[in-house]
Amino acid sequence: EENKVCVRFENDPSVPEGTSLKIQCADYPCLLFDLFNLSQDLALQVRRAKLAVKAGSFDMEAALSDSAGERIMDRDDLRRINKLFTAVAVNPSPDSDQHSVVEVFAPDRPNLLRDVTEALRKLHVQVTQARVATYGGRVKDIFCLTDMHGKKILNEATLANIYSTVVAAMMG
């Protein structure tokens, strides 16, 4: 199944390097980068990783340890980490045939989402769909936009203005 996401953590004795992580999901641009950024943000060490990407499918097995080089044993920590890795593994890119897509990948800060949505409001664009996620101190927000008539924004100058305005809003 294209949209199926499977993230599993196990403390398997046959994996001596640390806690075993297995991820199976649809591939998307920068997925591996996002996963390794999340590992860094959570102070997890990737001790070993094996990756296979083919026909739009992403399959990774890795061994992780905490910052002290130990297995991750606390069940609450494992549940929290699993939830964060699952949020990253879900393909964030909506169908862009009907919308212009603006993606925000940035360190989280107070009022970031409010600042970005306020900037979009001032540009007189409609947010028709949004996917908002925060994980490991980073935001991954995706906004599907149309003009005020419900049409996809195609004008390059308008798109450049949207981009520069969103970047300015991200900077606070």
Side-chain angles (χ1 to χ4, degrees), residues 93-101 144 152:
S93 299
D95 182 359
S96 60
D97 289 343
Q98 304 297 317
H99 316 277
S100 300
V101 179
C144 295
K152 182 176 181 173

Side-chain angles (χ1 to χ4, degrees), residues 15-144:
V15 180
E17 301 94 344
T19 301
S20 171
L21 163 66
K22 294 180 183 177
I23 299 176
Q24 295 173 315
C25 61
D27 191 25
Y28 68 84
C30 300
L31 173 58
L32 186 61
F33 177 78
D34 291 345
L35 291 169
F36 282 119
N37 264 342
L38 177 59
S39 298
Q40 181 180 13
D41 290 343
L42 296 172
L44 299 174
Q45 297 177 20
V46 179
R47 312 290 281 182
R48 174 184 53 78
K50 181 175 132 184
L51 174 70
V53 178
K54 56 184 170 188
S57 177
F58 180 94
D59 192 352
M60 183 176 91
E61 292 184 24
L64 303 177
S65 64
D66 63 16
S67 58
E70 302 295 326
R71 290 180 183 275
I72 306 156
M73 299 301 290
D74 184 272
R75 288 180 187 260
D76 290 335
D77 284 347
L78 284 171
R79 274 193 287 276
R80 180 180 60 85
I81 293 167
N82 188 302
K83 184 176 179 181
L84 292 169
F85 272 88
T86 300
V88 172
V90 173
N91 185 344
S93 299
D95 182 359
S96 60
D97 289 343
Q98 304 297 317
H99 316 277
S100 300
V101 179
V102 172
E103 299 183 22
V104 176
F105 301 95
D108 196 12
R109 66 168 174 79
N111 300 318
L112 175 62
L113 182 59
R114 181 189 57 88
D115 292 348
V116 170
T117 56
E118 176 67 11
L120 293 171
R121 184 190 65 79
K122 287 179 179 178
L123 290 169
H124 303 289
V125 296
Q126 294 182 19
V127 177
T128 59
Q129 181 181 3
R131 294 182 186 175
V132 178
T134 302
Y135 57 92
R138 295 186 190 280
V139 298
K140 179 183 254 182
D141 300 343
I142 299 168
F143 301 95
C144 295

